Amino acid sequence: MENQPSQNKSPQFISNLVTAVRKISIYPAKHPIVMDSIKNVYGVISEILSYKETLSLSLSQDNKVLIDGEPLSDKNPALAKDVLPYLKKIDIENMTFQRGITEKEIEDFIQILLLDSAQVKKLGDINKIFSDKNILHVKADQYSYIKINKDKEALLGAELSALDALKEKIKELSHGKAVKPQDVGGIEKELFSMMSAEFKEKNKISPATKSIFKKFIAATTKDKNDTLQVLKEALIGYGCPPQEVETLVNKIQREISGPSKVRAKGVPQEETENLKNENEELRARLHRLQEERDQFNLELDQVKKHSKVVQSEKDRIDNIIHHMADGLVVIDPQGKILLMNPQAETMLGVNQQYSGTPIKELVKDEHLLTVVKDIPTTKDEVMQKDIELVGSNETTKKILRTSSAVVEDSFGKTVGMVTILNDVTKQKELDQIKSNFVANVSHELRTPLVAIQKSISLILEKTAGELSEPQEQFLSIAERNLKRLSLLINDLLDLSKLEAGQMRIQRSLCRIDTVITDSTESLTIWAKTKSIEIRKSIQEGLPEINIDANRVIQVLNNLIGNSIKFTPENGLITVEARASVEKQECHVLVKDNGIGIEEQNLKKVFDKFYQIGEKSTADVGGTGIGLAVAKEIVELHGGKIWVESKRGEGTVFNFTLPFSGVPITEVAHGK
C-alpha cells in the first residue's frame, strides 16, 4: 500500500515532464510559464519520492516505456508516445530518479532532454553530462551498443574472422583432412557455442551461420537428427528459452529435409543455399525498414502536434502584442527591426514594411533615434528616458517615455533589445500645470507673510506697548510658525526655479570649511535643545573651491537639519570634508547615529514631498522638499549626492563638488 500513491502519480510526472520540455523549447529559460512548468514537475516527483527512495524510467528493446518495470503504454499509450522520442534521442535504457532531487536538477535535466542526438554523442557518457551539470540525484544507463561504439568495427571484424576460420575448418572436414573424433568434436563445440551466443543475443540465427551449420552436417557421418538434438541441448544449456529453441531446431530440420525446387531443375546445392540466405537477409532488411518507417511516422506525428502547440502559443502572443496599449519595438543587435506593434507604428510614424529594416532608415527624427542609443549591458538593467517631439508647426508637442532592456537567449547571448513606448504628454502637461500653480501660489503668499512676520516682530519688541506673559508666549509661537511657513514657501519657489531651469548659481572662490562652519553654527542652538553634538572633521589644507556658498549652505542646512530631526537625544552628528586629488573634487558627508532609513526607501529620499523615516513625537515636521532642492543644487554645481543607511544604525548623506577649473595636485595631510 505504501507505493500506491507514487504509482498513481507516475503518469502525471511523465505528463508534466513532457509539458515542461515543450514549454522550455518555446519560451526563454526564465519565463514565468517555463518556471511554473518546472515547479509542477518538481512537485510531483517530490511527492512520489516521499513514499519511496527511487523512481525508475526505462526503455525496453522493443521501444516500450516502463515506469518501475510497468509498461506505461498499457495505462496511457498516448503519453508513452509523447515521452518515447526524448528517451530514444539521448539513448536512455534505464534512468533512476532518487530522493533528494532539487528543482534546479530538474531544470538542468530538462535542458539535457532538449539536446539533439549529435550533441549527446559528442558529449559522451550520459552520467558524465549529469555530473558536469551537478545533477546528483538522476542516474542513467545507455544502451550497451553506445558504450562499445568506438570498438564496433574491431568486434565486427573479429566476429567475421572467427566465422571465416570456422568455415575453413568445416571445408577441411568435408575433404577428409580432419578425421579424428576430437577434431570433429572441437568444431562442433565451437559452432554450437557461436550459434548459442548469437541466438541468445539476437533471438535468431543469421543465414550465414545456418549455412555453415548445414555444411557441417553434410561433412560429418553423424546422423543429422542426433546433431540437431545436440544443438538443441547446447542452446538450452546456454540459457536460451526452450520453446524458442524447439521452434528454431524444427525450422532448421525442415530446411535440411525439405525438397528444393531449384535443385530439381539442376541448380547446384551451394547456389540454392546462397539464394535462400539472400532471401532471408532481404526479409530481415525489409523488417528493419518497416520498423524505421513506423518510428519515423511516430516522430512525424509528434512534430505535427508540437507544431500545433507552437503555432497556438505564437498566435496567442501575437494577439496580446497587437492589442497592447503601449508601443512595443524589438530590434536585433545590429539595430534592425524584428517586431513592432500598431501602437508603436503610430507613435513613430512608420507606415511601411519594416521587418528586417534598420530603424535608422525608418525613423528620421533624431530624438527618436536615442531609442537605440545607450543600450543596457545586461538583461537585469532597464534604461528609461523621455523624448520630446515637436510638431511641424512648433505648437504641438508629444513626449514619449521609453523603457529599454536587452533580450538574451537561454545561453546568455544578447539577441536583441525590446523597448516599450508610453505617450506621457498629458502627464507632463499636468506636472507643469501643478508646478506653475505651486510657484504662483508661493509667490503670492510671500508678501503678506513678510508683512505679518514684521508686525509680530515689532509687537514682540514691545514698540507698541507692554505685553503680558501669555500674550508674549502666544506671539512667539506664531512667529516660529511663520518662520517655518516662510521656509516652506522659499523651498517651493526654489524647486520651481530649478525645475524651470531659471535658478542661476553665483560662483566665487571660497573655503569649504568656512561654509561648513556657517551652517553648523546656525543649527547648533536647535541641536542643543536635543542634547545633540555637532562635530566637524575637515581635512587640513583644503584649497578654495569655486561654488555658490549660499546655495551650498542651503544644502548643508537641509542635510544637518534632517539629521537633527531623526537623531534621538544625546546623539552625535559629524560633518566631514576631504579632497580627492584623483577625481578633482571635494567630498562632503553628514553622518549621524539616528534611527536610519529602511533599505527599500533609500531610492525615494530625494523625491519631492517624500518624508523619510519616522520622527520622534517631540520633533518638528517637514515638507519633503528640502532634499529634492539639495539634490538639484548639487547637480547644478556638477556634483553628485547620495545616501547610505541601515535601519537603527544611522544615516550618511554624501555629496561631491568639483573643483571647477581649480585643479589641485596635493593636499596637506591628505591623499
Side-chain angles (χ1 to χ4, degrees):
M1 295 297 294
E2 184 184 31
N3 291 333
Q4 190 64 31
S6 63
Q7 291 174 354
N8 294 339
K9 288 287 184 178
S10 297
Q12 184 182 349
F13 166 64
I14 300 299
S15 176
N16 289 355
L17 181 63
V18 171
T19 300
V21 173
R22 290 173 176 171
K23 294 293 184 185
I24 206 169
S25 66
I26 300 172
Y27 298 98
K30 299 303 179 183
H31 194 282
I33 291 178
V34 172
M35 301 308 295
D36 287 344
S37 63
I38 292 172
K39 287 183 184 297
N40 291 338
V41 178
Y42 175 69
V44 176
I45 189 65
S46 297
E47 184 176 351
I48 292 172
L49 295 178
S50 67
Y51 294 98
K52 55 195 298 185
E53 293 290 335
T54 61
L55 174 70
S56 68
L57 183 62
S58 308
L59 185 62
S60 65
Q61 291 184 353
D62 55 350
N63 291 331
K64 287 186 177 180
V65 179
L66 310 175
I67 302 179
D68 284 339
E70 297 293 330
L72 179 61
S73 56
D74 293 350
K75 299 178 180 179
N76 197 327
L79 187 57
K81 289 182 179 180
D82 287 342
V83 76
L84 179 62
Y86 298 109
L87 300 180
K88 292 197 68 177
K89 183 169 60 173
I90 59 175
D91 298 302
I92 291 294
E93 183 176 13
N94 182 66
M95 186 159 45
T96 304
F97 299 88
Q98 300 176 350
R99 182 180 292 177
I101 191 169
T102 65
E103 187 174 329
K104 183 65 169 61
E105 289 179 273
I106 290 291
E107 181 179 356
D108 292 337
F109 170 71
I110 292 173
Q111 290 287 359
I112 292 173
L113 288 182
L114 289 171
L115 298 174
D116 57 39
S117 300
Q119 289 175 302
V120 175
K121 187 174 181 181
K122 182 178 179 181
L123 292 172
D125 183 60
I126 192 69
N127 283 307
K128 183 178 183 302
I129 302 175
F130 288 164
S131 178
D132 292 342
K133 290 285 187 178
N134 203 28
I135 302 175
L136 306 178
H137 295 85
V138 183
K139 305 298 180 185
D141 296 323
Q142 291 176 285
Y143 283 107
S144 56
Y145 71 82
I146 296 296
K147 299 175 183 176
I148 62 170
N149 193 48
K150 295 181 179 178
D151 300 324
K152 186 175 179 181
E153 294 183 2
L155 291 173
L156 183 60
E159 290 178 5
L160 292 175
S161 298
L163 200 62
D164 291 339
L166 188 59
K167 190 185 295 184
E168 188 63 31
K169 290 179 182 179
I170 294 174
K171 184 177 180 181
E172 292 178 354
L173 180 64
S174 64
H175 287 83
K177 293 183 180 181
V179 293
K180 295 180 181 181
Q182 58 267 32
D183 294 338
V184 178
I187 295 172
E188 182 182 76
K189 184 177 180 181
E190 185 178 351
L191 175 60
F192 289 178
S193 176
M194 180 182 296
M195 294 178 70
S196 298
E198 183 177 343
F199 188 67
K200 181 70 179 295
E201 179 183 356
K202 303 178 181 178
N203 203 30
K204 64 180 181 178
I205 300 296
S206 67
T209 306
K210 281 185 184 179
S211 176
I212 293 175
F213 175 71
K214 292 172 184 177
K215 289 180 180 179
F216 172 74
I217 289 179
T220 62
T221 57
K222 288 180 65 175
D223 183 73
K224 61 183 179 181
N225 291 328
D226 293 340
T227 304
L228 288 170
Q229 183 61 32
V230 176
L231 172 63
K232 183 191 297 185
E233 294 171 356
L235 290 169
I236 294 174
Y238 199 82
C240 301
Q243 187 62 38
E244 296 179 4
V245 169
E246 183 72 28
T247 303
L248 172 68
V249 173
N250 290 339
K251 182 179 179 181
I252 295 175
Q253 187 176 22
R254 288 195 298 271
E255 291 175 357
I256 295 173
S257 304
S260 173
K261 296 180 181 180
V262 180
R263 288 177 59 191
K265 296 181 181 180
V267 179
Q269 181 178 358
E270 184 174 354
E271 186 174 345
T272 301
E273 293 294 337
N274 290 337
L275 288 172
K276 287 183 178 180
N277 294 339
E278 290 177 4
N279 184 47
E280 290 191 18
E281 288 179 355
L282 287 172
R283 287 174 182 271
R285 291 170 69 183
L286 179 61
H287 180 69
R288 288 196 299 271
L289 288 172
Q290 289 174 339
E291 289 182 343
E292 291 177 1
R293 181 198 63 189
D294 293 341
Q295 181 60 32
F296 174 78
N297 289 335
L298 176 64
E299 293 179 357
L300 183 60
D301 290 340
Q302 296 298 325
V303 171
K304 289 179 179 178
K305 290 180 182 178
H306 184 66
S307 298
K308 290 181 180 179
V309 173
V310 172
Q311 186 61 43
S312 176
E313 291 292 339
K314 181 180 180 299
D315 292 342
R316 185 173 68 88
I317 293 171
D318 287 346
N319 192 40
I320 292 172
I321 292 174
H322 186 83
H323 292 90
M324 283 177 60
D326 300 328
L328 176 71
V329 181
V330 181
I331 61 174
D332 65 11
Q334 288 73 43
K336 295 180 180 178
I337 298 175
L338 300 177
L339 177 66
M340 185 183 296
N341 68 352
Q343 289 75 13
E345 293 176 12
T346 302
M347 292 179 184
L348 299 179
V350 176
N351 55 4
Q352 63 186 74
Q353 183 62 31
Y354 52 77
S355 180
T357 304
I359 193 170
K360 293 181 180 180
E361 295 182 9
L362 289 175
V363 181
K364 302 304 181 183
D365 194 301
E366 61 179 8
H367 297 289
L368 285 176
L369 291 180
T370 61
V371 171
V372 296
K373 293 181 180 179
D374 301 323
I375 294 178
T377 56
T378 64
K379 66 178 182 180
D380 296 326
E381 182 182 357
V382 177
M383 183 70 68
Q384 290 189 341
K385 62 180 73 174
D386 289 348
I387 303 170
E388 184 176 308
L389 306 177
V390 180
S392 56
N393 57 6
E394 297 187 356
T395 58
T396 58
K397 284 185 179 181
K398 183 165 64 174
I399 301 174
L400 300 181
R401 177 166 296 165
T402 68
S403 300
S404 302
V406 297
V407 180
E408 296 180 354
D409 60 16
S410 56
F411 300 101
K413 181 182 177 182
T414 300
V415 296
M417 182 184 76
V418 60
T419 298
I420 301 295
L421 303 174
N422 294 301
D423 190 338
V424 294
T425 307
K426 293 295 183 183
Q427 179 182 340
K428 287 290 185 179
E429 289 176 354
L430 289 174
D431 288 344
Q432 186 61 45
I433 291 171
K434 181 181 69 175
S435 297
N436 292 341
F437 173 76
V438 170
N440 292 335
V441 170
S442 301
H443 185 75
E444 292 298 325
L445 286 173
R446 205 175 207 177
T447 302
L449 279 175
V450 170
I452 296 171
Q453 189 173 5
K454 292 296 183 182
S455 298
I456 291 177
S457 296
L458 290 172
I459 294 173
L460 285 171
E461 291 173 2
K462 301 179 181 180
T463 56
E466 292 297 323
L467 298 172
S468 65
E469 185 176 340
Q471 289 175 334
E472 188 172 355
Q473 183 180 358
F474 288 136
L475 286 171
S476 297
I477 293 172
E479 184 182 39
R480 286 199 301 273
N481 282 281
L482 276 173
K483 287 180 179 179
R484 287 183 57 202
L485 189 56
S486 296
L487 290 174
L488 169 60
I489 291 172
N490 289 335
D491 283 342
L492 288 171
L493 288 172
D494 287 342
L495 187 61
S496 298
K497 289 178 182 178
L498 287 166
E499 289 180 340
Q502 296 175 355
M503 179 176 281
R504 298 290 181 266
I505 57 174
Q506 299 176 356
R507 295 179 184 268
S508 62
L509 289 175
C510 58
R511 297 179 61 85
I512 192 66
D513 54 345
T514 302
V515 173
I516 292 174
T517 299
D518 289 347
S519 176
T520 55
E521 287 181 351
S522 66
L523 297 169
T524 299
I525 296 176
W526 181 16
K528 285 182 177 180
T529 62
K530 296 181 66 177
S531 300
I532 295 174
E533 178 187 357
I534 300 178
R535 185 181 299 168
K536 294 183 292 183
S537 176
I538 302 173
Q539 186 177 359
E540 294 183 12
L542 287 177
E544 291 185 325
I545 189 169
N546 196 15
I547 57 174
D548 186 330
N550 290 328
R551 291 300 180 186
V552 175
I553 289 174
Q554 186 178 353
V555 172
L556 286 167
N557 287 345
N558 272 307
L559 300 183
I560 299 172
N562 269 301
S563 292
I564 295 174
K565 290 178 187 178
F566 300 110
T567 300
E569 292 186 358
N570 301 313
L572 173 65
I573 299 172
T574 304
V575 183
E576 299 180 8
R578 58 181 180 271
S580 172
V581 177
E582 295 82 2
K583 296 183 179 179
Q584 290 289 298
E585 64 187 17
C586 180
H587 182 187
V588 181
L589 62 88
V590 178
K591 178 168 60 176
D592 64 57
N593 57 357
I595 62 175
I597 305 171
E598 298 284 356
E599 184 178 355
Q600 64 267 24
N601 295 329
L602 289 177
K603 294 182 179 179
K604 305 176 184 177
V605 295
F606 296 107
D607 291 350
K608 291 179 290 184
F609 306 108
Y610 180 75
Q611 294 287 306
I612 59 175
E614 298 177 357
K615 302 179 293 298
S616 62
T617 54
D619 214 345
V620 296
T623 62
I625 301 175
L627 290 178
V629 172
K631 179 176 182 292
E632 295 288 346
I633 292 173
V634 170
E635 291 179 351
L636 206 57
H637 278 81
K640 296 186 299 182
I641 188 169
W642 68 96
V643 62
E644 301 166 356
S645 182
K646 285 187 178 180
R647 186 67 175 173
E649 298 183 13
T651 304
V652 181
F653 279 95
N654 302 261
F655 67 91
T656 61
L657 298 169
F659 284 106
S660 302
V662 188
I664 61 170
T665 56
E666 61 179 12
V667 179
H669 307 291
K671 296 181 180 180

